[in-house]
Amino acid sequence: MDNCLLALVFGLLTLGGCSARVVTVSPGPLIRVEGQPVSIKCDVNEYGGPREQDFEWMMSRDANGQRMKIISTFDASYSHPSLSKRVASGDISVVRLMDNEVELKIAEVKELDAGFYWCQTPSTDSVISGNYEAQVQLTVIPNTLTVSPQTPAAVVPEGSDLTLSCSVTRVLTHPTYLSVTWSVKKGVMSEEILSFGPQGDVSTGSKFARRYADGGIRLVPGKNGLFELVISRVTSSDDGIYECNGTEWTHENGGKWIKIVESTKEMGTVSVTPTGQSLSVKASSSSSSTTLLLYPDSTLTLLCSVAADNLPALALEVTWLADGRDLITMERSGVVISNASSNGAQGKRGQASLERTGGGEYRLVVSRVSAEDGGAYACRIRAFIEKGGRSVGGGGRWHMASEKTSSPVTVNVSQIKPNFTLTLEPVLTPQVTAEPTELACHVTNITHLPPEGRLGVTWEHTTLPGIGDDPQTSHPIGSLDGYGNLLPGPTYSDRLKSGALSLSRVHPNTFKLRFLRTQEIDMGQYVCAVSSWTVTSQGDLVKTTEHQSSAQTVQWVTKRPALNVVAKHVREASVGGATFEMSCTVATENLGEVGYSVLIQSQEGFESPVRTIMTLSPDNIMQHGGATDPNRRDSLVLAKTGPAEFRFRLAGVQLSDRGFYWCDITAWTKQQLGQAWTKVASAESNKVKIDFQENGPSFSIGIQSDVNSVYPWETAKLECSLSVSGSSPKTDDLVYEVRWLFTRLRGGETTTQVASVDRFGVVKKEARNSSSDISIERKDTHTYMLNIHGTQDSDSGEYHCIATPWYLSASTGAWTQAGELTSSRVFLTVRFAVWESLKLPLLYGVAASVGVGLFSLVLGLVCAQCCCRNTAHTPRSRNKLMDLEMD
């Protein structure tokens, strides 16, 4: 009710144009950290009375709890007893800022200070109007802010990157925010580098703004409160003590950020090493000597080695100096610029090139040096470091961090060349083709050859007119360079690789050329060219001079090689199936060591086509010809039985093998093992004949039976036996076709075939009216058995067999059918047994009669007993007679 009344009065005064007191405090709620200072402002406006107003502060743990007096601007005894000591010590104080504004300060806020605070102003108005107090809530949270920096490297090379890692964390209990700030202290002054937060924005110090914009400073947020600041390409101005500051913020009503607690930790002292302190440059050659001796037309190679602690961060400009003047330069972009001399001497100098061979390694190569290339060579290095980062256009700001020049390497080019005399002489001279040839090249009167100098040789051959496709043409055979490497010429490459031709150095000053088997094309003129090789100070071999010998002619009188081949019988085949064997002997003229290939050929007649039976290569590889039956290859043998003798054997000759046989032999030469054979000469032998007549085997046949008479249902056996005489074939090479015939009449002409078996063993039975069965059994190769099972009267009659022999002919190798053979006849009788035929019917009749009689007796007795039981006498009626008479 009172509040309503005050509001009504205030409204009336306002409408009436009168003023009303307004008391305000800092907007809340306020969040502060325990142990940190707290200040709460309070002011009053639109009041009456004196300009200077008094203020009273009270607090309560709860909004509606009992208020506790804190401090007053006009009453020194205003404070509650529990707070009087803190007020007296200055821990709690009030400061007048203006006549109408004061500030309540708590030097170190405690957790029990959390609560609601009221600011009151005693009334000095003539009329009570407006509000006389204002309230704000204060929340006190524990101090959980932790700043944990990582110590950076104490010494950092100039141009490298410096990473500053700092972890800022706190326990989140209320909506507070964090920020991290890096700074560097030089002396007593501390310069802010970069700040991040609390709104996620980045701010930099004035001295580092341009560097951050160019990318020279980067912020890398991490996880779990870890932040990294990377300073790229540091310079000496980056020396100092680096610090990390972590701050906790609160965002109060009104959009104002309030710092509630902060912590600053020193990360460590960083010292930047200037590039000039670690940069070193060295010019060297392959040898450790600082003085090089070269010969004209050799190659100069020098290496410039650059070392620095921050080498990857440096952009190097490399320049080679010759006697103090720029020879060639590689800019930091990698572009090579050759600095030509202005006095025109550059045209006499060798061609210079510069390349980067590795990290900090640059190689200078001057090819075909001359006397003008001598002098002192030094390597100059200019090291550049990019300041800041790259701009939007892609360019960067560079500054030269250091410049150094290596110690010089002295290069001397000698003008004295070695001299010597050559003598070429034959060691072995061939008299005929395929004999060895050997030439020796002697080096004498050697002068001005350094102790480490070496000799090389090159052999050349010029053919004689009329030999080869391109006469009078010089062909390089091969060469031995200063290292002793064999460099074959294109024409003789295969012969050198196979070993048929060799180049050697048998003494320090003697070289030899040797042909293992000289060919006609090798006749001609030979020269040797000896070169001197000198080892430079860099360890390289360079050719300094070369001399050529006079020509040496190699020639002989050529004789054509010839062959003579003689064939003769070793074993003659007079009958089919025998073995034929012949030998071929070779006689040679004007031939050295050769190999032979053999063709065994045959011809049925002089006008018949020639067939190739077998071949034997010079490598003793045997093959069958196209005229050879694949089934008879095991019967053919061709072998080398002597240095110049070959034998051919044919086992089991046939009629198709008759004809003439001879050897066609070719002589071949080979320069070396693994090289292809070269044909020299060939010849055919005389012809040897195979001729015989075919005489086949003779056969006979007979028939017999173990019994000539059988009873019905017994088995009759008839045996057909064959025999062979003459050239009896093998068991597996002989079979028969056998047929059995039957006639019921003795000596009858009409016969019926009973059964047969062909030469493959297939049995065929003919249809018969008899109920008996038949089978054929082969007991051995020459015996066949006819079995008649369950004989009947219809099986009685004459039997005989007809056989056709088949044998594998040794002459033709094919199955041959001999003449048909017919045996004599055998009569088979099937007897009729009377008793045997009647005893069963009689037995059955007697048994049936006895059975019927016994049955009749039994039946009569049964009927008598059943039908005639009344035995009393019945008187004869007299009327019977009368009845009879009437009838």
Side-chain angles (χ1 to χ4, degrees), residues 650-682:
L650 172 60
V653 296
Q654 302 176 2
L655 290 175
S656 59
D657 296 326
R658 292 183 297 184
F660 299 95
Y661 290 78
W662 68 93
C663 298
D664 186 351
I665 297 181
T666 304
W668 303 79
T669 60
K670 181 187 290 188
Q671 294 291 332
Q672 186 67 18
L673 183 64
Q675 191 180 9
W677 289 97
T678 303
K679 182 178 179 181
V680 179
S682 62

Side-chain angles (χ1 to χ4, degrees), residues 117-197:
Y117 286 77
W118 286 269
C119 175
Q120 293 183 343
T121 59
S123 175
T124 58
D125 302 325
S126 59
V127 178
I128 297 175
S129 64
N131 66 315
Y132 291 84
E133 65 178 16
Q135 172 191 305
V136 65
Q137 182 181 2
L138 174 65
T139 302
V140 180
I141 62 176
N143 187 358
T144 59
L145 179 65
T146 302
V147 179
S148 303
Q150 297 180 10
T151 304
V155 179
V156 180
E158 184 179 11
S160 60
D161 294 347
L162 173 63
T163 301
L164 303 173
S165 301
C166 185
S167 177
V168 180
T169 59
R170 54 87 170 82
V171 178
L172 182 63
T173 57
H174 288 77
T176 60
Y177 305 86
L178 296 177
S179 68
V180 58
T181 302
W182 287 271
S183 60
V184 58
K185 184 189 296 182
K186 298 180 179 180
V188 295
M189 297 297 295
S190 181
E191 301 175 357
E192 180 182 335
I193 303 174
L194 182 142
S195 294
F196 176 66

Side-chain angles (χ1 to χ4, degrees), residues 783-806:
T783 305
Y784 292 82
M785 182 78 72
L786 174 66
N787 299 316
I788 305 175
H789 306 278
T791 56
Q792 301 294 326
D793 180 62
S794 60
D795 295 324
S796 297
E798 279 187 342
Y799 291 84
H800 68 278
C801 60
I802 298 175
T804 303
W806 288 82

Side-chain angles (χ1 to χ4, degrees), residues 64-84:
N64 298 321
Q66 184 178 359
R67 298 183 181 183
M68 182 186 302
K69 296 179 179 180
I70 302 175
I71 195 171
S72 173
T73 58
F74 64 91
D75 187 1
S77 60
Y78 182 78
S79 301
H80 190 273
S82 62
L83 301 175
S84 58

Side-chain angles (χ1 to χ4, degrees), residues 183-222:
S183 60
V184 58
K185 184 189 296 182
K186 298 180 179 180
V188 295
M189 297 297 295
S190 181
E191 301 175 357
E192 180 182 335
I193 303 174
L194 182 142
S195 294
F196 176 66
Q199 300 183 76
D201 54 339
V202 176
S203 62
T204 59
S206 59
K207 293 184 178 181
F208 298 91
R210 172 68 181 276
R211 199 167 177 181
Y212 175 76
D214 291 342
I217 298 177
R218 305 191 312 274
L219 175 65
V220 183

